[in-house]
Each structure stands twice: as structure tokens, then as C-alpha cells.
Amino acid sequence: MRDVIVVGAGPSGSYASYALSSKGYDVLNLEEHMEIGKPVECTGLVSRRVTEMVRTGSVVNTVSGAHIFFPNGKSIHVHKKEKTMVLNRDSFDKDAAGQSIAAGTDLRIDARLRKASVSKDGVTVEYRERGNLKEERARIIIGADGMNSMVRKEVFGTRPYRVISAYQVDSAARLEDQDSVQVFVGSDVTRGFFGWATPSDNLTRIGVGTHGGASFRYFKSLNSRFGESKILGINGGGIPISYLRKTYSRRAMLVGDAAGIVKPLSGGGIYTGMVSGKHAAATAVDALEREDFSESAMSAYQRLWKKDLGNELWFDGMFQRLFSMISDRSFNRIYSILSSPEVIEKINERGDIDYPSRVVISLLARRPWLLRHIIQSKS
Ligand SMILES: Cc1cc2nc3c(=O)[nH]c(=O)nc-3n(C[C@H](O)[C@H](O)[C@H](O)COP(=O)(O)OP(=O)(O)OC[C@H]3O[C@@H](n4cnc5c(N)ncnc54)[C@H](O)[C@@H]3O)c2cc1C
């Protein structure tokens, strides 16, 4: 019997596998695709915290600022001293999986989980590897199988209730400022989320996220600013931005997108997914040492990840719900407040891609009347 089966070799699954294998545990990691990292469904913007967790050569650009465009056509520019990385996401996933293989993980590609069941004595999975049906048993299962998680379906029977639909292209359009991303808000370019353009090596990743609307329809409007005939490739997918009430059960844990452990304001899930993978691995180590796989033993996982990320995801989620209701008129009023040099300085000082609520809270603490613009939008 294996110690742990990890389903999915995205960043969360690879990091959990690496953390367990490097402690000497027997880990089987199943990945349904024939190539790690493909298909790419990501912009690849991460903080240095991510590149400190995985040794990687996948950084294709760094940016230090953002131009934020409002419905009135005006924009503000914010920047930080610290650089944000732009990853080539498929190479990053390969580096993360390579790190876990080097630590001893038994990674199988073209191996798709079909069924998983948990009993008092262990976990049983049925998977199809290169066309052959196989079965394996383990003490613990970690579901790191993304937005449409099969582990979640089979073992937890639930799903995140708030999902962003994202549509993104690789475009040959070149942004003048290669040191800044562009962010777009307002009803012309999105419904309930935002649009973006990220300079990435010799191309630009242009995309739109929407909550409750077809992202493709909004994308057309955004992309007309960049020249429609420049599309080199299309990708996208769902981003779960509400975490599950319960991310553990007897012998089982869900990490990353499978659990909805994603920053709701930005839709970024690489860092949060890897942090949850780290805590799932630590909980599994403890359970294996004590041979206690009960629900109460596994609940340590949720306490650990919530200690690191819980407040951030909670505040982010609340702000995202408010943000998704702001009207164009209110956005324009907010622009006139944010564009003051004093406010921009505060954003530059407090902004953190992994902890975005910090800057929002510090702005609201000094200017509580900003909330009025947001709340007025709802009525
Ligand atoms: C358009 C877009 C842009 C984004 N941009 C960013 C960004 O800039 N920065 C950021 O931090 N995040 C971004 N995200 C979010 C980020 O991509 C995810 O949060 C992140 O990939 C989550 O990692 P994960 O390992 O939990 O899941 P995934 O990366 O989805 O990995 C899950 C893995 O499980 C495998 N799998 C699924 N089902 C099975 C099965 N039955 N059997 C075996 N294997 C299976 C899949 O093939 C996949 O490899 C973006 C998302 C989208 C859609």
C-alpha cells in the first residue's frame, strides 16, 4: 500500500508530492495529461514567494507596475520596488514536477483518475494509464486535480459556488511599457471581474474574467484596443474563487483549485495552491507517523492553511463580491480619489500581489467614505 496518492501534477499537486517525498514517503502522483503543464490556462503572474518554493528557469519577464484603466478612459499607474514574475507556465509546471521526481515521487503521466473511494482501512483509486485500467491503494489521498476535481466529486460531493469564467489569448501585440501590466475595469470590458494585458517575453497575454457573463463577449471589446488580427493562441478556463467549507475528510484532503483556495480579487491560485499543498503534506506526515487518519486528525490541514491564508481569502472574497457590483459611474468617482499622488503612494507602499486585501483595508481605514461609492453601486 502506498503512503499517499496525489491526483494532479499542477503546482499544488507537485508541491505536495515534493514535500512528502523529500521526507521519504512513498508518493504516487497521477496526471491525466500526456505532458506536464499542457494545456496552459494561465497568465503566469506570481510573486517571488513562488520562485522561492520551486527552483525554476521559467521566468520570461518581470514587471514592477500596473496601469489601471477606468471606464472614463483615464488610468492610474501604480508600482512597487519589488518585481512580480511572469512565468512561462508550462515550463514552471515541469520544473515543479521535476523537483518532486528528484525527491522521489513516482509521477505517472497519461494517468487519469476514474474512481476514488475511502474506507476505514484505506483509499482505493481506479485510474487509466496509457489505455490500461489500474487500481492502487494508499493510506491518504490528496486531490490536487484542479477546478473540475474528480477527487472532490467522488469523496467530498461538493463544489466551489463562485467561479470566474476566463478567456485569454497570446497576442503579438506589443505593450509600450514592458515593465507594467494593464488592468481594465468597467462594463465595456468585463462583468464582475476585470480584463488584463501582461507583457510576456515576445508576446502579450490579453484576457478577461467575468462572473456570470460570457467572458468571450467581453474579450472582443477589450481586444479591439490591441488589434484583433494578432492572436497567436487561445486559452482560458474557470477560476474557483470561493473556498470549500470543508477541505478535509477521513484520509482525504483537497488542495489548490480543487478546494477553491484561490485569491478571489485577482484569481491568482499558484501561490495559494502551493501553500495549501505544503500544509496538506505536513498534515499527511503527522497522520502517517501517528497512524491516525481520522477526520479529526485531518482537520489540522484546514487549521494550517487558514492560519496562513484564511483572513486574506475571507477579506478578498468580501471585497470581490462588492467590487463585482460597482457601476461605471462609481468606478469613475473612485478613479478621481485613487488618482491623487498621496493615495497612489499608499498603494505603492502597501500593494502585495499575494495579500491584496492589505492595500484595500488600509485605503478604507483612512477613507471609509470610499465604501459609500461601492455601496451606492448596489442600490
Ligand atoms: C486564464 C487564467 C489565467 C490565470 N492567471 C493566473 C496568474 O497570473 N497567476 C496565478 O497565480 N494564477 C493564475 N490563474 C489561476 C491558476 O492557473 C490556478 O489557480 C492554478 O493552476 C492552480 O493550480 P492547481 O495545481 O491547484 O490546479 P491545476 O493547475 O489546474 O492542476 C490540476 C492538475 O490535475 C490534473 N487532473 C485533473 N483531473 C485529473 C484526473 N481525473 N486524473 C489525473 N489528473 C487530473 C490536470 O491535468 C492538471 O494538471 C489563472 C487561471 C486562468 C484560467
Side-chain angles (χ1 to χ4, degrees):
M1 189 187 283
R2 303 275 188 165
D3 288 328
V4 183
I5 293 176
V6 177
V7 185
S12 315
S14 290
Y15 199 78
S17 301
Y18 158 73
L20 281 159
S21 300
S22 52
K23 291 229 170 327
Y25 291 96
D26 175 13
V27 180
L28 173 67
N29 186 191
L30 302 176
E31 168 52 51
E32 68 176 346
H33 287 117
M34 291 168 102
E35 186 178 345
I36 298 292
K38 292 279 177 69
V40 176
E41 290 167 355
C42 190
T43 314
L45 268 179
V46 294
S47 70
R48 197 175 289 285
R49 295 183 186 99
V50 166
T51 51
E52 280 164 2
M53 290 172 90
V54 173
R55 222 174 309 117
T56 182
S58 62
V59 178
V60 289
N61 192 16
T62 58
V63 290
S64 58
H67 297 279
I68 305 171
F69 290 87
F70 289 79
N72 56 11
K74 296 183 176 160
S75 67
I76 61 169
H77 184 248
V78 292
H79 77 275
K80 303 190 304 165
K81 268 189 243 115
E82 205 183 293
K83 292 275 189 181
T84 297
M85 319 285 141
V86 184
L87 304 176
N88 184 345
R89 177 60 199 274
D90 64 318
S91 343
F92 176 77
D93 282 20
K94 287 187 178 79
D95 289 338
Q99 179 170 286
S100 96
I101 290 174
T105 297
D106 179 5
L107 170 67
R108 309 285 177 84
I109 54 167
D110 196 6
R112 179 168 207 277
L113 178 84
R114 288 165 44 96
K115 285 184 188 156
S117 62
V118 177
S119 73
K120 195 163 73 44
D121 307 320
V123 177
T124 307
V125 300
E126 186 185 299
Y127 63 101
R128 188 178 287 282
E129 184 178 0
R130 299 180 190 192
N132 301 313
L133 217 50
K134 297 188 174 176
E135 198 180 277
E136 188 83 51
R137 287 182 47 76
R139 291 177 173 81
I140 293 174
I141 185 165
I142 297 178
D145 45 346
M147 157 80 195
N148 298 309
S149 171
M150 177 72 80
V151 178
R152 190 181 65 220
K153 230 174 278 164
E154 294 275 291
V155 182
F156 290 76
T158 177
R159 61 192 336 263
Y161 68 90
R162 203 165 168 86
V163 175
I164 297 298
S165 149
Y167 186 94
Q168 180 178 261
V169 302
D170 287 345
S171 166
R174 190 166 170 82
L175 302 184
E176 213 173 281
D177 180 359
Q178 287 286 303
D179 189 38
S180 296
V181 299
Q182 297 187 358
V183 175
F184 302 86
V185 296
S187 62
D188 191 34
V189 287
T190 179
R191 177 169 163 188
F193 208 60
F194 60 90
W196 62 89
T198 300
S200 162
D201 202 6
N202 51 356
L203 50 84
T204 304
R205 293 181 191 142
I206 302 169
V208 161
T210 54
H211 181 250
S215 45
F216 171 68
R217 196 162 62 78
Y218 290 94
F219 170 78
K220 279 183 98 169
S221 157
L222 174 63
N223 195 41
S224 62
R225 302 171 187 227
F226 297 96
E228 282 168 32
S229 58
K230 295 179 178 165
I231 295 176
L232 305 167
I234 300 172
N235 57 79
I239 310 178
I241 56 163
S242 57
Y243 57 80
L244 301 181
R245 202 174 54 79
K246 196 155 157 271
T247 54
Y248 63 91
S249 72
R250 183 174 61 174
R251 293 185 183 273
M253 290 171 275
L254 293 173
V255 298
D257 275 20
I261 302 178
V262 174
K263 289 167 278 179
L265 269 177
S266 66
I270 298 174
Y271 171 66
T272 48
M274 285 173 34
V275 169
S276 66
K278 177 182 83 175
H279 291 311
T283 306
V285 166
D286 211 41
L288 288 160
E289 270 172 18
R290 293 193 289 122
E291 299 222 357
D292 180 358
F293 307 103
S294 63
E295 181 144 320
S296 136
M298 308 311 282
S299 70
Y301 163 59
Q302 185 148 316
R303 280 196 299 280
L304 287 171
W305 78 253
K306 280 205 167 174
K307 198 167 165 224
D308 254 1
L309 304 168
N311 283 346
E312 180 60 38
L313 299 196
W314 188 85
F315 277 115
D316 256 32
M318 188 182 65
F319 291 139
Q320 201 283 324
R321 281 192 294 279
L322 289 173
F323 175 84
S324 69
M325 292 185 267
I326 300 178
S327 67
D328 286 356
R329 229 175 67 181
S330 289
F331 266 130
N332 292 337
R333 275 196 235 119
I334 289 169
Y335 161 79
S336 59
I337 296 158
L338 296 189
S339 56
S340 93
E342 184 215 337
V343 175
I344 289 191
E345 202 183 309
K346 177 65 60 196
I347 299 174
N348 295 345
E349 202 181 285
R350 300 301 296 263
D352 183 330
I353 179 176
D354 291 325
Y355 297 91
S357 76
R358 288 177 186 169
V359 70
V360 183
I361 290 170
S362 99
L363 284 176
L364 288 177
R366 283 167 176 250
R367 296 162 195 80
W369 34 267
L370 250 176
L371 255 184
R372 216 180 42 228
H373 295 302
I374 300 172
I375 290 161
Q376 271 172 358
S377 297
K378 289 168 66 184
S379 48

